[in-house]
Amino acid sequence: MAERKWTQAQKDAFLTENGDLLVCAAAGSGKTAVLTERIIRSITAENPSDITSKLIVTFTKAAASELKMKISKAISEKMGEDHANMRLRRQLLALDRAQISTIDSFCLSVVSAHFTELGLSASVKVGGDAEIILMKKDIMEQTIDAAYEKGDAGFLNLIDNFTSLRDDRISDLFIRIYNIVSSYPEGTDYIRISAERLEQTARNGISGTVYGKQIEKVAERLLKHYVSVYKRLTDLMLADGTQEKSLPVIQSETAALERIESVGDLSEKLKMIKEFGFERLPANKSKTKAYIRFEGERKSLKDDIKSLSSLMSVDEHRDRIAAGMSARLCRSLWQLISDFERRYSEEKKRFSVIDFADAERMTYNLLIKDGKPTAVARSIASRYEQIYIDEYQDINRIQDDIFAS
């Protein structure tokens, strides 16, 4: 069989050793082939590792089966080149015991090994997709009906914000929200935390919030860059002595940028940036290289101010009112989703079923406590020398934390 020709980028991907490695490549570029080659090289190297010492996860059962077949084929081809290699034969025999599976299967294996610690019945099973979908739909409709009967003003206000949706679509929307927050380490509390952040914004304004801090960083970088550019180009134009008519305008704009840079209050700084006035430059028939560059930088400044302005508001009072309204909606949403989660958990317990999200959450709780790996995590980690994750970009935060532990 002809030896495969690898590109340099592919070689870099399977030859790089020590430390974490992230491979980014387009579909059809040979990522799976590179992954397989990297695994094969690690078990046939001068100081080889065993196939059972690797945790290899994919997103679908088909992908896991295909990967296992490719590894099997690659080992068989290596054995064809070296018939007496007993190590390769042992690796081929050990392939069925290797942890090459979907993320869901890995989490279920962890849960199955710790039934007692998790307080699970030995009869518990993973619900089928259709069963789980119908159960969620039924429980969400019960949750919504109970909220209507209670007549809570916050819930009614929440529903009013979705009046364009049909009743059955409202339950589907809330289920999608539940599914999304379930993939965060905070779970449904993510909505409560968001409400608290919005309440902080309603009290104190945008300054100090996550959003405000990011905008402030962007604004500071923008101002620092353009003050530096303006000054440098002003010095160049002063040196060539040909732009006397334009210099007063340039120096005036430089001073204005410096004044904005010195303002400490974020809201005032953003307001001044948004209202920054560009003076009219006098006609110039003898443009130097420095002046032409200044024109380009000035246009970039205008574009950057326009982009930054689209992210911010200069009406602090309106922002606080909007944040307060959003916080109340988040609180009501959190109460509804939390009530659904309680009812859904009780229903699953009644039928002795769990879903894949439960398996992930249980695995997370077994492996991580107070943000640090537990004894269980350290025990599982000791079994594996390497972790391979196919389609890493698609994993959620809980899954990422599980593998990091």
Side-chain angles (χ1 to χ4, degrees):
M1 183 176 177
E3 185 177 351
R4 176 164 182 161
K5 292 184 178 180
W6 302 97
T7 66
Q8 188 56 51
Q10 289 171 328
K11 289 179 181 178
D12 291 342
F14 61 68
L15 291 176
T16 300
E17 298 179 353
N18 303 321
D20 297 335
L21 178 67
L22 179 65
V23 176
C24 300
S29 58
K31 294 190 296 296
T32 304
V34 166
L35 178 64
T36 305
E37 181 68 14
R38 188 176 175 86
I39 293 169
I40 292 299
R41 284 174 177 266
S42 70
I43 64 177
T44 58
E46 186 175 338
N47 296 306
S49 58
D50 289 332
I51 191 66
T52 53
S53 71
K54 305 176 191 309
L55 171 57
I56 306 167
V57 292
T58 66
F59 264 79
T60 66
K61 291 181 178 179
S65 297
E66 181 183 0
L67 183 58
K68 188 173 287 189
M69 286 176 60
K70 287 183 177 180
I71 294 172
S72 175
K73 181 180 177 182
I75 294 175
S76 297
E77 288 176 354
K78 291 285 185 181
M79 288 172 60
E81 300 168 7
D82 185 1
H83 298 285
N85 193 322
M86 295 304 296
R87 174 175 174 75
L88 286 175
R89 189 177 298 277
R90 286 195 298 272
Q91 294 304 299
L92 188 60
L93 292 172
L95 192 56
D96 285 337
R97 293 186 287 108
Q99 184 67 62
I100 304 174
S101 66
T102 63
I103 296 174
D104 290 336
S105 294
F106 169 73
C107 290
L108 285 172
S109 70
V110 174
V111 170
S112 298
H114 298 85
F115 269 109
T116 306
E117 293 168 66
L118 292 167
L120 292 174
S121 165
S123 62
V124 73
K125 63 182 184 297
V126 179
D129 290 344
E131 179 185 9
I132 293 298
I133 289 171
L134 289 172
M135 186 182 290
K136 283 182 177 178
K137 182 80 171 179
D138 183 47
I139 297 299
M140 181 58 79
E141 288 175 353
Q142 290 179 30
T143 305
I144 292 172
D145 287 344
Y148 268 122
E149 289 178 13
K150 188 177 179 181
D152 179 73
F155 167 75
L156 295 176
N157 184 40
L158 177 67
I159 292 298
D160 282 343
N161 279 267
F162 301 99
T163 51
S164 61
L165 298 177
R166 299 193 309 273
D167 288 347
D168 59 332
R169 289 183 59 198
I170 289 175
S171 63
D172 290 342
L173 172 65
F174 289 142
I175 289 171
R176 285 200 301 273
I177 292 172
Y178 170 76
N179 290 340
I180 290 170
V181 297
S182 293
S183 67
Y184 296 168
E186 302 88 347
T188 55
D189 273 348
Y190 181 83
I191 305 173
R192 176 185 58 76
I193 294 167
S194 297
E196 290 173 353
R197 288 172 176 169
L198 287 164
E199 287 163 353
Q200 180 189 356
T201 303
R203 289 192 302 270
N204 307 323
I206 196 171
S207 298
T209 66
V210 174
Y211 183 61
K213 288 176 181 177
Q214 289 302 313
I215 293 180
E216 188 169 20
K217 286 180 181 179
V218 173
E220 287 175 351
R221 286 199 299 267
L222 182 148
L223 291 166
K224 184 177 181 180
H225 169 74
Y226 285 108
V227 166
S228 173
V229 168
Y230 264 61
K231 285 183 174 180
R232 188 165 65 252
L233 294 177
T234 298
D235 290 341
L236 290 173
M237 285 184 277
L238 280 170
D240 66 35
T242 61
Q243 310 298 322
E244 293 88 350
K245 292 182 180 180
S246 303
L247 281 172
V249 173
I250 298 169
Q251 290 169 332
S252 174
E253 289 183 1
T254 304
L257 288 170
E258 288 181 306
R259 283 195 298 274
I260 299 173
E261 191 178 26
S262 67
V263 172
D265 180 72
L266 176 60
S267 296
E268 182 62 24
K269 179 177 286 188
L270 295 178
K271 182 179 179 181
M272 291 174 71
I273 291 175
K274 195 166 188 176
E275 296 176 350
F276 186 84
F278 289 90
E279 300 179 40
R280 186 179 180 82
L281 286 167
N284 189 342
K285 294 182 180 180
S286 57
K287 297 180 181 181
T288 62
K289 288 183 179 180
Y291 185 85
I292 292 171
R293 184 180 171 191
F294 166 73
E295 284 185 315
E297 291 287 353
R298 194 170 188 253
K299 182 182 182 302
S300 295
L301 173 59
K302 290 180 180 180
D303 293 339
D304 285 343
I305 287 177
K306 185 177 180 180
S307 297
L308 184 61
S309 297
S310 69
L311 301 175
M312 62 192 188
S313 168
V314 295
D315 191 334
E316 178 78 9
H317 179 65
R318 187 184 67 184
D319 288 346
R320 292 190 182 203
I321 291 175
M325 292 173 62
S326 297
R328 288 189 288 275
L329 287 172
C330 268
R331 283 283 179 188
S332 298
L333 178 62
W334 172 62
Q335 290 167 359
L336 179 75
I337 299 299
S338 296
D339 187 30
F340 164 78
E341 183 176 52
R342 177 184 61 78
R343 292 168 181 265
Y344 180 45
S345 296
E346 290 174 354
E347 189 75 352
K348 287 184 291 184
K349 188 174 182 180
R350 188 163 73 92
F351 287 97
S352 291
V353 300
I354 61 172
D355 58 23
F356 287 121
D358 292 326
E360 281 185 9
R361 175 68 58 182
M362 291 174 187
T363 300
Y364 178 88
N365 291 336
L366 277 169
L367 304 187
I368 300 166
K369 185 175 182 180
D370 299 326
K372 297 179 180 179
T374 63
V376 174
R378 290 191 293 272
S379 174
I380 294 175
S382 67
R383 303 175 201 166
Y384 304 112
E385 296 177 5
Q386 297 171 327
I387 299 176
Y388 295 84
I389 305 174
D390 195 20
E391 305 294 351
Y392 175 78
Q393 76 279 359
D394 291 329
I395 71 171
N396 61 42
R397 284 178 54 196
I398 282 186
Q399 293 165 348
D400 195 30
D401 286 350
I402 285 172
F403 295 121
S405 69

